[in-house]
Each structure stands twice: as C-alpha cells, then as structure tokens.
Amino acid sequence: PVLVANRGEIAVRVTRTVHALGLRSAAVFTDVDAAAVHVDAADVAVRVSSYLEPDAILEAARAVGAAAVHPGYGFLSENAAFARAVVDAGLVWVGPPPEAIELMGDKARAKVLARQAGVPVVPGLEGEDLGLEEIGAFAAEHGFPIVIKAVAGGGGKGMRVVRSDGELAGAFDSARREAKAAFGDDRVLVERYLERPRHIELQVLGDTHGTVLHLGERECSLQRRHQKVVEEAPSPVVDPDLRMRMGDAAVALAKACGYVGAGTVEFITTGDARDFFFLEMNTRLQVEHPVTELVYGVDLVAHQLRVAAGEPLELAQSGLVPMGHAVEARLYAEDPANGFLPATGVVRRYREPAGVRMDSGVREGSEVTTAYDPMLAKVIAHGPDRLSAIRRLDRALADLELVGVATNAAFTRELLQRDDVRAGEQDTGLLERVLGELDTTPPEDLLPAAAIAAYLHDVAHVTVTPGPWRRRFDGLGEVRVSATEVRSGERTWTWTARNLGQGPDPFPKSLQLRIALDGVSRRYVAAFDGDDAVWVARDGFQLEARTERAVRSGAGALAGSLEAPMPGTVLLVHVANGDQVKEGDVLLVIESMKMELAITAPTAGTVEGLELSVGDRVTQRQPLVAVTEA
C-alpha cells in the first residue's frame, strides 16, 4: 500500500487518488484522531505517537508492508532527513529528492540559486553572519521600507517590516528571537519591501526523465497574518505573456535544483504585476492545489504517484491551457466575531453543498480540538469565468451545513462580496486593511430562531405545554416563546415554523426548519445537545445558545469573573488567590493552536476563585479567575 503520512482533508484527498489508481492505502493516526475521517477512508490504519515522529511513521510503514510514503503537506512533508530515511528504508518517497528539499528550504541558498538560474529576485542580502550593520547599509542604499526575514522561516514567523532607522535595531532583535524560537535558527536575511504586492505562485511538475513543466499560476493575495484565506487560478492580472515568463522562470529554477514531482515556485509581484520576483519554493503539494486541478483538468496527486514510480509525464507544455476559473476558500475552525480565536466542539450536523468540490476532513460527529491545525475543509468552485466561480463559491458557503463548531464561512462570504475583490483589485495587505469593514456579527434573527427551535424540541421530547415557554441563554439573556410570538428583551416577533426533516423522529439531533419571523420566512439548520444547548445557522452564520446554569462554583460564582475567550491549555499562572494586582497585570496565559493569549486584570484588586494549574485544559467561556476590586 501507499502510506499517507498526514491527517485531515489532505490525507482523505490523497487516499481518494490512491484508490482511483487501483492501489491500496494506509493511514496513520494519533489517539486524538482514532475516529477521524482519514482513518476510515484508508484500507488499513496504524496508531502512532505523533505525526512528527519519523521513526514512528517508518515503523507504521513497515507494519503494513507499505511500498511508498506520501507526506501530504505540513508535518514532515518538507523534512529532508525524513525523506532520506524513507529512501534508506527501501521505500518510495512520493516527493522531490531530499537534496532539493534541503536546498530550497534554505531561503538564502534558494535566492542564490534563483539568481544563477536567471530568475528575478527582490534586491536583498543574505549570509551566514548577516548583522545589523550590514542591514543598515543595505537600507541606506535601497531606502525604506525593508523586510527582515528568518532564513529558515515560513508562515510569517521571524519576519519584520522596517520603515525607518529608528525601528531597525528592535526589528532585527525581535526577528532573530522569533526565528530562534520557531525554527531553532536565528539567521536572518533582508530584502526590499514591496508595498501592496500580489502573491502569485506557479505550479511545476517534473519527472525522472528530464521533463519539467508548469501548470500556470495561482493567486493567493487574500491573506490574514500571512496565512492564505482565498486562492484562485488563474490570476486576474496575469496575461498569456506574463504567464509564459513566470512559467519559464519557475521551470528554470526547478531544473536548477534537480526537482522531481509536484512543487510550487512562489513569486511576489508589484500591484500591477508588471514586475515579479522570486519569494520561495515549496517542495511539496500546496493546500490550494485543487484550483489548478480544476482549471487544467489534471490530478496532481496521480502525477506525483506516477512520477515516484518512475513513469514519464504524459503532459506537454503546449497542451496545458487554463479552462475557466476556480476559486478556493479555506474553512477554518475559528470565530471571526471573537478575534478569530480558535474554535472547538463537535460537528452536530454536516451536509456538503452541491455543485462544488469539497476536500473535507470532518463529518457529522467529528470532534474538533485544539490539538491540530484549525483547517476543517476546503470549498472549491469552478466556472467559465471569474465572477461565475466567485458566485458559485459564495452560494456553496451559504449552503454548507456545518453546525456545532464556529467557522469563518460567513466572514469569507463577506470578503467575496466586496467590490474590490470581485474586480480582482487585491494585494497581500487588503484583508488586514478592511477587516473592520467586514461584519461578522450574527444576524439578530438567529436568537429568536434558536429559541423557537429549542421550544419545538422541548414540545416534541419533554412534557411541555405549547407555551408560554422561556429560557435563559448564557450571555444572550432570556427569550420567551408562545404559540404565536417570541420575545427577546424589548423586541417581539410573530412566528410560524415548519419542520423540513423526514423520518420517524419529528425532532432528531439535527434538522432543517423553515421559520417565519414577522412574515419573513427563511431556512435554518438546527442542532441540539439534549436540553443544554441549541445551535442554529443560516447562510454561513451560526449561533450557539447554551442554557444558563443557575448555580456556579469557583470563579464563576464570583462577581467580576474572567472567562476563557477560547478553548486551550493553561500555559502559565502568574498569580495565586489573595494576591493584589494592578489593572493590566497578566494573571495567566492560555495556549491554543499555537496561539498564546494573556488573561489580564481588568482593574486593580484581589485575585479570587483561581482553581487552575499549568497544563489544565479549559473550554471556551469557562470561568478562570476573578479580580475583586479593592
């Protein structure tokens, strides 16, 4: 079999192609993922201690008699030592040669090679001992702004934009510290910083017979915190001439590093895309590869597997012409209305939309934790032109039924509906600049809809007379429902509802309802957790209404208690009960999905109700500690 050394949606996607080629598949999983979708998708699965342990992965491959290892992306996919270990074990490595991974993984060496191959490179300096003095001299020659980057970096780690002499020393020190912490390597390089650039990347394919070609470009300029949110192919600003020039550069670089398999050469361009410069090369499959597959009608994973088996590519550059347009949205378990903090929970209902491609790693009943990356799925739409593809993606995000875990679906819809995005007028800083303009607040009709769903559920399952009915929801207040009206605070609506579900149970754990509020009828999805909570969703928006508990203990019983804004693990505890603190003092630190969040004192006072220790796990909105004013 082919062992897929990954998890989530990419493991499911690779397994699908493995089976399509008539091969058997093997998966690996940790205790957290024992019931995951990728485990059941494979023919056989082996428990491992970690996806990051090369020895454990190789032992799993031996246990199932695997002939090849596909690393997916992330984890060990760009680990040259792991690639060598796979080859040394007598297995087929479905990826580029370890030497190419090692060479292109070093940003400084990669830039040198790019220059030698004739690929345009952003003016900059790199070297083993590049220091503050050399960086200052570069800035004096080329002017500000400049960017300091970690040599071994990625994902925005160890990167600082510097706009003046006064910022230089601090940015240099902080970039090195972050690089050391993230990658174990504090070396940095410096480059000219392009204002409002576009991020455009070229997909390359190479075989062991000397053929290297490209499959056009993808644009990935819509980013938040240097992480891609929406990707598309082709780019709205790349014409055939520029595509040929960028493609030739990408192929030249791939040949120069002896590349085999699927890889991506990333470029940064000026806003009008007249000039382009080499950024880096990703020596693996990219998250956004489906848009290329839909536009060029290929299966990149199938080509990876065939190339790894020694077969020549059966593609010709002249025959690779883009057809239509494709746009991909990454669906993350995060709460945009709560500062994009990680979200957890159980997927209470899951129904995929029609007319688009879904690469998903979850299903109904999946538990989403903070143990791994928050990306749950990808929604990819294809159309004859760019606006058609965007409209289809927007509709799919509205129709997707993923209830029980907060996601960025509604946020992404808001982004896609902007005039500048629809016009293709985007750059890598656009999303950060317009965040405040994107309304992620759930519409007000979700609360009465949630109360109506809970009321109907109670009528069907509990001894409840048809009104009046009322319930206090945690953080949302009291809602009252009668047979004809629903009231929240000072607002009253008339209502009617129809159950759109079918089956013997009139109110299963999840269903569709048609609810009319003041005569405006909409379709809602509802899910239930006994009498404790109800989730309602429509058009990508979601609301969790959890029954308020009358009795609380610990910090929750105290006035001024501070709640966890996200689920996670207690990383640090700086105080003890009885301590006197000042406003702004850090009380404790929570870590979730590689993000740290400090819980600070809202006022001066005394610490009370603290019952947590380092290592304790906390849920979202869990009372943590209270500060009683002096």
Side-chain angles (χ1 to χ4, degrees), residues 213-539:
L213 44 77
H214 72 86
L215 291 92
E217 81 286 350
R218 298 182 287 257
E219 174 144 1
C220 311
S221 296
L222 292 174
Q223 304 177 9
R224 190 182 68 83
R225 295 178 183 170
H226 305 290
Q227 297 294 325
K228 300 165 187 175
V229 175
V230 174
E231 304 103 346
E232 61 183 303
S235 166
V237 294
V238 173
D239 59 21
D241 176 68
L242 180 58
R243 182 172 300 119
M244 181 180 69
R245 290 192 291 123
M246 295 181 81
D248 288 346
V251 168
L253 182 61
K255 288 181 175 179
C257 71
Y259 204 82
V260 172
T264 298
V265 180
E266 301 199 357
F267 295 107
I268 194 167
T269 80
T270 52
D272 57 11
R274 290 182 181 176
D275 298 316
F276 66 92
F277 305 96
F278 171 70
L279 185 63
E280 64 182 348
M281 184 174 188
N282 287 298
T283 52
R284 53 169 170 79
L285 200 65
Q286 290 279 88
V287 175
E288 57 271 21
H289 76 274
V291 294
T292 296
E293 293 185 321
L294 291 178
V295 167
Y296 284 88
V298 300
D299 184 330
L300 290 172
V301 174
H303 285 296
Q304 283 186 297
L305 292 165
R306 291 189 179 109
V307 165
E311 297 179 20
L313 286 170
E314 296 179 349
L315 299 171
Q317 191 67 66
S318 59
L320 293 170
V321 179
M323 299 171 293
H325 205 96
V327 188
E328 171 182 291
R330 301 188 186 193
L331 196 70
Y332 289 112
E334 62 185 13
D335 188 356
N338 190 28
F340 293 92
L341 292 177
T344 61
V346 174
V347 178
R348 305 283 173 174
R349 182 179 178 90
Y350 184 72
R351 303 288 188 278
E352 295 183 349
V356 294
R357 169 174 165 175
M358 288 288 304
D359 284 9
S360 176
V362 296
R363 60 188 168 198
E364 205 160 290
S366 292
E367 183 175 4
V368 178
T369 72
T370 58
Y372 299 111
D373 187 89
M375 191 170 69
L376 305 177
K378 300 178 307 199
V379 189
I380 315 102
H382 182 263
D385 54 62
R386 185 170 184 268
L387 285 180
S388 296
I390 289 176
R391 283 195 293 264
R392 289 176 181 176
L393 178 59
D394 177 55
R395 176 73 201 207
L397 289 169
D399 289 346
L400 173 67
E401 298 179 11
L402 197 164
V403 182
V405 180
T407 75
N408 64 327
F411 167 82
T412 305
R413 291 194 64 213
E414 291 285 312
L415 177 64
L416 291 173
Q417 290 164 13
R418 287 184 58 88
D419 290 342
D420 44 14
V421 171
R422 295 211 165 195
E425 299 168 354
Q426 57 209 36
D427 60 76
T428 57
L430 173 67
L431 182 48
E432 296 283 2
R433 293 195 304 272
V434 304
L435 272 180
E437 302 173 23
L438 300 173
D439 185 10
T440 57
T441 306
E444 66 171 0
D445 60 279
L446 286 185
L447 180 56
I452 291 166
Y455 164 74
L456 294 173
H457 180 267
D458 286 355
V459 168
H461 289 280
V462 188
T463 305
V464 175
T465 57
W469 174 97
R470 65 183 181 181
R471 182 177 294 182
R472 290 197 62 83
F473 292 115
D474 196 5
L476 300 172
E478 183 177 271
V479 185
R480 301 185 181 198
V481 182
S482 71
T484 58
E485 289 186 339
V486 55
R487 176 182 297 177
S488 172
E490 300 300 317
R491 182 71 193 275
T492 300
W493 298 262
T494 61
W495 72 273
T496 61
R498 285 187 294 120
N499 184 344
L500 301 179
Q502 296 179 344
D505 187 345
F507 262 79
K509 291 183 178 179
S510 73
L511 77 163
Q512 281 191 352
L513 291 169
R514 191 87 195 184
I515 299 176
L517 293 167
D518 286 345
V520 179
S521 175
R522 294 184 176 94
R523 184 176 64 249
Y524 297 85
V525 174
F528 308 93
D529 179 16
D531 63 352
D532 186 57
V534 56
W535 291 262
V536 291
R538 72 162 175 88
D539 300 330

Side-chain angles (χ1 to χ4, degrees), residues 472-474 532 546-553 556-557:
R472 290 197 62 83
F473 292 115
D474 196 5
D532 186 57
R546 189 168 293 276
T547 303
E548 184 172 275
R549 297 304 179 191
V551 179
R552 289 189 173 192
S553 60

